[in-house]
Amino acid sequence: LDVLKSVKQTLKENGLKARVVQVGCIGPCYLEPLMDIAIPGRPRISYGPVDPASARKIIERYLIDGNPSSDLAIGHFGVNGDAPDGIPHFFDIPMLKPQVRVVLRNCGFIAPDEIDHYLANNGYAGLQKALRLTPDEVIGIVKEAGIRGRGGAGFPTYRKWEICRAAEGKTKYMICNSSEGDPGAFMNRALIESDPHCVLEGLLIAGYAIGAHHGYIYINSDYLLAIARLKTAVEQMREYGLLGERILDSDFSFDVTIKEGAGAFVCGEETALIGSIEGRRGMPKARPPFPAVAGLFGKPTIINNVETLGTLPNIIRNGAAWYRQFGFDGNYGTKTFSLVGKVRRGGLIEVPLGIKLRDIIFDIGGGTWRKFKAVQTGGPSGGCLSEEFLDIQVGYESMTAAGSIMGSGGMIVMDEETCAVDLALYFLNFTQKESCGKCSPCRVGTWQMVKILENIVRGKADSADIARLQTLADTVQRVSLCGLGQTAPNPVLTTLRYFRNEYLQHVNEKFCPANICQELVDYFIEPTQCN
């Protein structure tokens, strides 16, 4: 906001006419704040990171003196040969070059609060095409494309739709799950803030396919900017005849309700989310019946993730064969990740499934400042994978086989200054607090596991505690009611599996090799070295 203020003041003080457009996240967060300047007839040039002073300097140099400040630029968006010498193309910078942008294609390029920007980039062309097809034909394209749920479970999208469409009853519902609670994850928020119409278009396409006439967007109440942009987008859709009765002169009618949730992590689970929308406490239910048969208000309901819905317009517009060129057998398409932690180049990325973890962390992320140690994938529900897994393909089955999950896309990179035991305690502490308490394996089991881990990091545990921790983790994973409890032990199980030596050092030697666990760190002051 300080940079934005400086930009507007500089333009005003110098009498410069320019349109200031706020866009969403383009991806390389490590370079933010970013500021681009586009002069008619010249390539758009990107600068970053900028502060209020450098923003003023760049504007005055370029717009008054004609100097594009190549020394401060990070990239351009013109065709080859158009840019000033020394400025690479933006998508040739190391973090962007290996990526493939499908769902993020508009992010950073269009004004999120202007529907005309979206329309000018083939927006709602997917919906127009879908409405010329039958619902079964739309489901057929989605089936052929092979897209699986991007919320983490990886269930084939078309299969859920088929079940719901075949379910009895005329009233059906579509829900967009924007409940994003993983520490370090911001993929859904960034997409809605940057390109809300792509998610809304996907919601309409899905609604048409299953026979629904009403959709809900369930979103964390603290996502203030995302909510504001969603509300603006919905109002624009109504104005343009994209919501309401007989959309685009078809027989399809649809409306949208934005439902703000309190941010409970467990409400990412389908039945808990449905309970929250209905005004009840968000607590999972035993299944069957599944939501596709009996969901919201007892009616057949489909719940799709933000990224799943945001990808649909591209699949319908470009065709299934186009989408299947990305990824590998059974894992088609691309996936967004929030790449954070001890990585040099952090941010929002989109890569084809099948890419190796090594390529993400070292080619895109630039590696770690200190020696790489591990990567936590899938957030609190995922696992901690050591260096030996850097060359596995990123996919649903391969990540599960390694003891982790791909999840919704959180990816936290760690170096040698990260303690594996402390990491397990951090994530388990999170899931224990977020447990709804309905089933005792999760409610009691995670609490007991936290207590054991606390004793280990404080040097108050013995070797028998490690065995008890392993048994508890296995039990909670096998018998908990919902996905939260079933996956909560993953950080513990994977650190026990791949970093057991650290547990033994904490227990037997009362030593933390990363020097993180304070009660296991001894220090002394050498008086002769003090000034």
Side-chain angles (χ1 to χ4, degrees), residues 358-512:
R358 182 184 302 278
D359 296 334
I360 292 177
I361 296 167
F362 290 91
D363 291 350
I364 294 175
T368 52
W369 297 104
R370 297 180 181 272
K371 187 178 185 301
F372 172 84
K373 181 172 187 175
V375 58
Q376 175 81 14
T377 67
S381 302
C384 184
L385 301 180
S386 58
E387 190 173 12
E388 65 183 285
F389 293 99
L390 283 174
D391 290 315
I392 68 170
Q393 286 184 303
V394 173
Y396 293 98
E397 288 76 20
S398 56
M399 302 294 282
T400 302
S404 186
I405 60 174
M406 186 161 63
S408 59
M411 190 172 289
I412 303 174
V413 180
M414 293 157 275
D415 62 16
E416 59 187 354
E417 290 188 333
T418 304
C419 171
V421 186
D422 179 70
L423 178 83
L425 174 59
Y426 171 81
F427 281 117
L428 193 65
N429 212 354
F430 175 85
T431 49
Q432 188 272 323
K433 288 181 170 60
E434 293 291 336
S435 171
C436 75
K438 184 172 184 176
C439 73
S440 56
C442 178
R443 181 183 70 250
V444 180
T446 55
W447 184 83
Q448 292 287 356
M449 291 165 67
V450 166
K451 294 305 173 186
I452 293 174
L453 285 168
E454 287 177 344
N455 285 336
I456 292 175
V457 300
R458 292 169 182 168
K460 298 179 180 179
D462 55 37
S463 56
D465 284 317
I466 296 180
R468 280 191 284 268
L469 184 64
Q470 180 82 49
T471 301
L472 269 170
D474 289 334
T475 304
V476 172
Q477 185 182 60
R478 285 186 292 110
V479 300
S480 291
L481 173 64
C482 81
L484 186 148
Q486 292 163 9
T487 58
N490 281 347
V492 174
L493 290 169
T494 50
T495 51
L496 278 171
R497 183 177 176 183
Y498 304 127
F499 299 96
R500 180 171 287 269
N501 188 55
E502 284 195 33
Y503 280 87
L504 295 174
Q505 285 178 297
H506 281 70
V507 169
N508 298 329
E509 303 173 33
K510 312 302 179 188
F511 172 66
C512 175

Side-chain angles (χ1 to χ4, degrees), residues 103 118 124 126-127 130-131 138 142 157 161 172-178 191-192 195-219 230 233-234 237-238 242-244 247 252-259 273 277 296 301-314 316:
V103 71
Y118 185 66
Y124 292 102
L127 175 64
L131 294 178
V138 173
V142 173
T157 300
W161 289 11
K172 298 174 183 179
Y173 293 103
M174 266 304 307
I175 298 177
C176 171
N177 183 359
S178 309
L191 181 57
I192 292 174
D195 192 11
H197 283 285
C198 81
V199 180
L200 288 161
E201 183 180 4
L203 186 66
L204 265 66
I205 291 171
Y208 174 71
I210 69 168
H213 297 289
H214 200 99
Y216 285 81
I217 300 177
Y218 186 84
I219 187 168
L230 269 178
V234 168
M237 290 174 71
R238 289 202 174 98
L242 292 165
L243 282 179
I247 295 172
F252 176 57
S253 301
F254 196 84
D255 208 346
V256 172
T257 298
I258 299 171
K259 170 66 176 179
L273 185 155
I277 292 178
L296 186 64
T301 303
I302 288 296
I303 302 175
N304 284 141
N305 168 265
V306 167
E307 185 178 345
T308 307
L309 294 175
T311 304
L312 289 175
N314 300 286
I316 301 301

Side-chain angles (χ1 to χ4, degrees), residues 3-325:
V3 171
L4 180 63
K5 182 179 178 180
S6 176
V7 168
K8 292 180 177 179
Q9 286 181 340
T10 304
L11 293 171
K12 183 178 180 180
E13 291 171 6
N14 290 279
L16 299 168
K17 293 183 179 180
R19 185 179 182 199
V20 180
V21 180
Q22 295 184 61
V23 297
C25 178
I26 198 169
C29 301
Y30 76 104
L31 291 173
E32 291 180 350
L34 288 166
M35 180 185 74
D36 295 2
I37 297 180
I39 296 178
R42 301 184 193 179
R44 169 177 164 182
I45 299 178
S46 186
Y47 304 88
V50 297
D51 56 26
S54 61
R56 174 179 289 273
K57 178 180 179 181
I58 292 166
I59 290 172
E60 291 179 341
R61 271 188 181 182
Y62 196 7
L63 301 188
I64 297 176
D65 301 331
N67 178 359
S69 297
S70 299
D71 55 322
L72 301 176
I74 59 173
H76 72 88
F77 297 92
V79 296
N80 292 334
D82 282 350
D85 292 340
I87 303 178
H89 195 279
F90 190 84
F91 286 104
D92 283 337
I93 65 176
M95 184 184 187
L96 276 296
K97 195 168 186 177
Q99 295 188 43
V100 175
R101 295 172 72 95
V102 174
V103 71
L104 300 182
R105 69 187 184 95
N106 288 330
C107 297
F109 291 98
I110 66 171
D113 55 357
E114 294 195 27
I115 189 173
D116 288 343
H117 282 212
Y118 185 66
L119 294 173
N121 287 274
N122 291 319
Y124 292 102
L127 175 64
Q128 287 180 302
K129 182 177 178 180
L131 294 178
R132 293 194 294 268
L133 304 171
T134 67
D136 288 334
E137 287 174 331
V138 173
I139 294 176
I141 293 174
V142 173
K143 178 180 180 179
E144 185 182 351
I147 184 172
R148 298 165 65 175
R150 293 300 192 246
F155 193 77
T157 300
Y158 86 92
R159 185 66 187 126
K160 291 171 67 173
W161 289 11
E162 282 185 336
I163 295 170
C164 187
R165 178 159 182 78
E168 295 182 0
K170 292 184 178 180
T171 302
K172 298 174 183 179
Y173 293 103
M174 266 304 307
I175 298 177
C176 171
N177 183 359
S178 309
S179 179
E180 189 172 50
D182 296 17
F186 51 87
M187 305 78 56
N188 294 345
R189 174 176 61 82
L191 181 57
I192 292 174
E193 288 178 354
S194 306
D195 192 11
H197 283 285
C198 81
V199 180
L200 288 161
E201 183 180 4
L203 186 66
L204 265 66
I205 291 171
Y208 174 71
I210 69 168
H213 297 289
H214 200 99
Y216 285 81
I217 300 177
Y218 186 84
I219 187 168
N220 299 1
S221 60
D222 57 349
Y223 278 10
L224 301 180
L225 181 58
I227 292 170
R229 289 183 171 168
L230 269 178
K231 289 180 176 178
T232 298
V234 168
E235 290 173 2
Q236 291 170 340
M237 290 174 71
R238 289 202 174 98
E239 181 184 344
Y240 278 57
L242 292 165
L243 282 179
E245 300 296 322
R246 299 185 56 83
I247 295 172
L248 298 177
D249 296 323
S250 71
D251 293 330
F252 176 57
S253 301
F254 196 84
D255 208 346
V256 172
T257 298
I258 299 171
K259 170 66 176 179
E260 297 180 32
F265 183 62
V266 74
C267 284
E269 195 276 339
E270 290 186 338
T271 58
L273 185 155
I274 287 171
S276 180
I277 292 178
E278 291 176 343
R280 297 181 286 106
R281 182 180 177 191
M283 298 180 75
K285 288 183 178 180
R287 297 178 292 179
F290 290 92
V293 176
L296 186 64
F297 306 121
K299 306 299 183 181
T301 303
I302 288 296
I303 302 175
N304 284 141
N305 168 265
V306 167
E307 185 178 345
T308 307
L309 294 175
T311 304
L312 289 175
N314 300 286
I315 293 175
I316 301 301
R317 189 177 64 251
N318 297 314
W322 169 85
Y323 188 70
R324 287 171 69 97
Q325 70 178 303

